[in-house]
Amino acid sequence: MTNPSLRRLLAIALLSLLSACGGGGGDSQTASIQKPEASTPPASAVPPAGTATPGDSVPPPPLTTPSSAKTVSFTRQEASRFLGRATFGPNMAAIDALAASNSDAWFKAQFSKPQTLHRKYIDSMLAAEAAGGEKTRYPQFYESFWQQGIRGEDQLRQRMAFALSEIFVISIQNEELVARPRGVASYYDMLGQHAFGNFRDLLEGVALHPMMGLYLSHLHNQKETATRTPDENFAREVMQLFTIGLYQLNADGSLKLSGGKPIDTYSHDDVAGLAKVMTGWGWAGPDRNWMRFNGGVIDADRDWQPMQNYPDFHSTAEKRFLGQAISGATSGEADLKLALDTLFNHPNAGPFLARQLIQRLVSSNPSPAYVGRVAAAFANNGSGVRGDMQAVIRAVLLDPDALAPAGTTMRTGKLREPLLRLAHWMRAFDAKPANGRYRIYYVDDPLAGLGQSPLNAPSVFNFFRPGYMPPNSALASAGLLAPELQITSEPSVTGYLNYMQATIANGAGEYRDIAPDYTRELALAADPGALLDRIDLLLMHGSMPARLRTQILAAVNGVALPAATAGNAVQVAAAQANRVKLAIFLTMASPAYLVQK
């Protein structure tokens, strides 16, 4: 797979990405930060141009409540594009099925599919190991993630669980979590369970899951004393990162301003008040003994059972936060209910969630109108229900901005995450292991892997921040965000190209045994145009630019295909395979593919 055309295309890919990312880089901040001063908002907090704000005398334009139940029909190209957002990647069968149906039928089918459970899969792995079978290895969740993500029939649910895992972050970089594979898997299952339910239930599932309790340290959190104050970690992040954000928002997600400055959503006093609510929560179990609270009594299923409140450790002081006041006479359960209800009903909750889901699935820079329409679906699903996640998902994926033909401006689309690129390839070409186990473990190394592994973010801020703007770049000059570029740099671009070149040629996984099925592609090797049409539909929903197509065709035609004779079958097969692998690799190496439109 080396020729002048290949080298030229790889150079173009590398230079194009790096000119956009301006060097990228990781986020060195720890799992909890102090709230920045409102007088110095981050660049990402600047309201979209032309958006009026109540604090500046001119009201925002009225928002139209969308119909998230509308039905859309798709061409094959449109079906591929839609599935590239709503699943871990399209394959030809899924494309043809959706093109022959419509969005309503597809959503109904996906919403009704049984959930593929990660804890169940890990339990089966551990049971097989205990019976003398293949040994598992940490983190067991990795194998389950790829197994269910690639083979699971509940594709929308699995894709939504991944998106939610990048908002409600836990990370197995935490040593307490990596040693609890059943707990980590059940946390991911909990996200999937509530992905099609109500946001209020999702919020409670997150707050009470012991893996979140360990990660953000409100498990074992105790009431205040003369020498101790309650841990504020979860109280801060449940507001800042999970529900309402740092600054007050209009219904379209733009900032409310006062005197030209954003208005704080909460203060440290609110954090302190909410921290008192999050006291007394400990491991689940049949009693509320202090030894069980502190972990001295170990129950087999405590890693995945919702935490329970221990009155002896719950604050009985008055709790004030976000305009609410709770007397010290109420229970821990009642305190938590009021706190979560307050966050759920906060006017920021809809636009805050709407923007982040759009960023994870469709576009890094959604218009205020797009955010507003999705937030309206959150506020009212059409039947007076707030927080209906099915209505929100439909609104995100069926919005006019999402379905509009891909444009040519920098506001179009988003950078594909490295994990999603690998998943896309596996689903497009039905890559599967002979023994059925997707043994893909650490692919975090940006030079030797993808620079990203599931549930392995460096901090509670995820792999990248939703407001990341690559410095000294054309994007920054245009005031545009590119979250995924925060983990993009010279080493990661080179590493991705090397990793995918080897994977496309030899298979994925620890033993290279996750083998793609290129049968249909090999049959088209003698017709590079038809071959590229198929790859274009699978990987780029038929949007491959003419210039890129010309370059790839030249590279593929540069691989000589000998005429078949009685004695050269091996040589012909090798040339056909090289053509196919080269066409796929050059497509996936191109900036036109890496930017999901």
Side-chain angles (χ1 to χ4, degrees), residues 42 49 101 119 146 149 207 212 233 258 285 310 325 359 371 398 404 408 427 449 463 473 482 540 587:
S101 181
R119 184 171 62 83
W146 292 109
M212 179 60 78
N233 212 17
S258 177
Y310 292 71
Q359 286 187 309
V371 174
L398 296 181
T408 57
R427 283 189 53 79
F463 301 99
S473 67
M540 296 183 64
T587 299

Side-chain angles (χ1 to χ4, degrees), residues 116-131 134-148 158 170 172 177-189 209 211 300-301 303-304 436-438 440-441 454-455:
T116 305
L117 296 172
H118 292 268
R119 184 171 62 83
K120 181 179 179 180
Y121 182 82
I122 287 177
D123 281 347
S124 69
M125 288 173 58
L126 296 174
E129 179 182 21
E134 180 180 343
K135 288 188 176 298
T136 63
R137 55 172 291 188
Y138 284 148
Q140 288 95 336
F141 177 74
Y142 285 170
E143 182 179 325
S144 183
F145 173 85
W146 292 109
Q147 171 75 29
Q148 320 298 21
Q158 294 300 320
I170 64 168
I172 52 180
L177 270 62
V178 74
R180 293 177 163 86
R182 300 176 76 226
V184 170
S186 77
Y187 181 81
Y188 200 82
D189 286 339
H209 200 285
M211 296 302 99
D301 295 329
D303 286 353
W304 59 273
R437 293 183 63 167
Y438 282 76
I440 303 174
Y441 297 106
L455 290 191

Side-chain angles (χ1 to χ4, degrees), residues 300-339:
D301 295 329
R302 71 175 191 175
D303 286 353
W304 59 273
Q305 294 280 11
M307 294 186 293
Q308 65 185 14
N309 198 262
Y310 292 71
D312 289 348
F313 299 96
H314 182 65
S315 173
T316 56
E318 184 182 54
K319 307 166 185 73
R320 291 183 176 272
F321 55 91
L322 300 176
Q324 297 290 338
I326 304 177
S327 74
T330 55
S331 67
E333 293 84 357
D335 289 356
L336 181 66
K337 180 181 185 305
L338 180 57

Side-chain angles (χ1 to χ4, degrees), residues 373-388:
R373 288 188 291 266
V374 176
F378 178 94
N380 185 344
N381 68 350
S383 299
V385 176
R386 179 178 177 84
D388 179 356

Side-chain angles (χ1 to χ4, degrees), residues 85-347:
R85 296 164 170 174
T87 73
F88 276 107
N91 53 40
M92 203 61 76
I95 291 170
D96 290 339
L98 180 56
S101 181
N102 57 54
S103 62
D104 188 54
W106 188 86
F107 275 118
K108 286 180 178 177
Q110 285 293 315
F111 288 147
S112 65
K113 285 186 182 295
Q115 181 178 2
T116 305
L117 296 172
H118 292 268
R119 184 171 62 83
K120 181 179 179 180
Y121 182 82
I122 287 177
D123 281 347
S124 69
M125 288 173 58
L126 296 174
E129 179 182 21
E134 180 180 343
K135 288 188 176 298
T136 63
R137 55 172 291 188
Y138 284 148
Q140 288 95 336
F141 177 74
Y142 285 170
E143 182 179 325
S144 183
F145 173 85
W146 292 109
Q147 171 75 29
Q148 320 298 21
I150 303 306
R151 309 308 306 181
E153 292 294 323
D154 56 335
Q155 275 291 300
L156 178 61
R157 189 188 298 273
Q158 294 300 320
R159 181 66 185 88
M160 284 301 303
F162 181 62
L164 292 172
S165 78
E166 295 191 319
I167 300 172
F168 302 96
V169 175
I170 64 168
S171 174
I172 52 180
Q173 288 195 16
N174 183 301
E175 292 182 359
E176 291 274 7
L177 270 62
V178 74
R180 293 177 163 86
R182 300 176 76 226
V184 170
S186 77
Y187 181 81
Y188 200 82
D189 286 339
M190 179 273 298
L191 296 179
Q193 173 192 351
H194 295 303
F196 296 166
N198 192 281
F199 182 76
R200 173 60 177 78
D201 297 326
L202 170 63
L203 189 56
E204 184 166 326
V206 168
L208 291 182
H209 200 285
M211 296 302 99
M212 179 60 78
L214 284 171
Y215 188 60
L216 287 184
S217 56
H218 59 295
L219 180 73
H220 310 315
N221 192 14
Q222 298 186 37
K223 63 185 177 182
E224 67 284 350
T225 67
T227 58
R228 180 181 63 228
T229 57
D231 186 289
E232 296 179 352
N233 212 17
F234 182 77
R236 179 181 296 108
E237 309 309 1
V238 74
M239 291 190 288
Q240 178 182 343
L241 301 178
F242 300 167
T243 55
I244 61 177
L246 291 172
Y247 305 108
Q248 294 183 29
L249 303 175
N250 292 309
D252 64 2
S254 60
L255 290 173
K256 290 184 177 181
L257 302 179
S258 177
K261 297 180 180 180
I263 306 167
D264 286 350
T265 309
Y266 60 88
S267 68
H268 181 262
D269 289 342
D270 295 311
V271 174
L274 193 55
K276 293 178 183 178
V277 171
M278 300 311 303
T279 54
W281 294 98
W283 297 108
D287 58 48
R288 298 172 194 264
N289 183 281
W290 68 269
M291 290 185 64
R292 175 169 278 103
F293 174 80
N294 287 315
V297 179
I298 300 176
D299 294 288
D301 295 329
R302 71 175 191 175
D303 286 353
W304 59 273
Q305 294 280 11
M307 294 186 293
Q308 65 185 14
N309 198 262
Y310 292 71
D312 289 348
F313 299 96
H314 182 65
S315 173
T316 56
E318 184 182 54
K319 307 166 185 73
R320 291 183 176 272
F321 55 91
L322 300 176
Q324 297 290 338
I326 304 177
S327 74
T330 55
S331 67
E333 293 84 357
D335 289 356
L336 181 66
K337 180 181 185 305
L338 180 57
L340 298 183
D341 285 347
T342 299
L343 293 171
F344 172 65
N345 289 300
H346 193 285

Side-chain angles (χ1 to χ4, degrees), residues 517-578:
D517 182 357
Y518 293 143
T519 303
R520 300 292 181 86
E521 289 73 32
L522 289 169
L524 299 173
D527 185 351
L531 171 64
L532 205 52
D533 285 344
R534 180 178 175 85
I535 292 171
D536 183 13
L537 180 61
L538 283 168
L539 298 179
M540 296 183 64
H541 53 265
S543 68
M544 183 177 289
R547 182 182 178 189
L548 175 62
R549 180 183 175 86
T550 299
Q551 291 172 320
I552 297 179
L553 283 175
V556 172
N557 282 316
V559 178
L561 190 62
T565 65
N568 72 342
V570 173
Q571 292 85 348
V572 171
Q576 290 173 331
N578 282 338

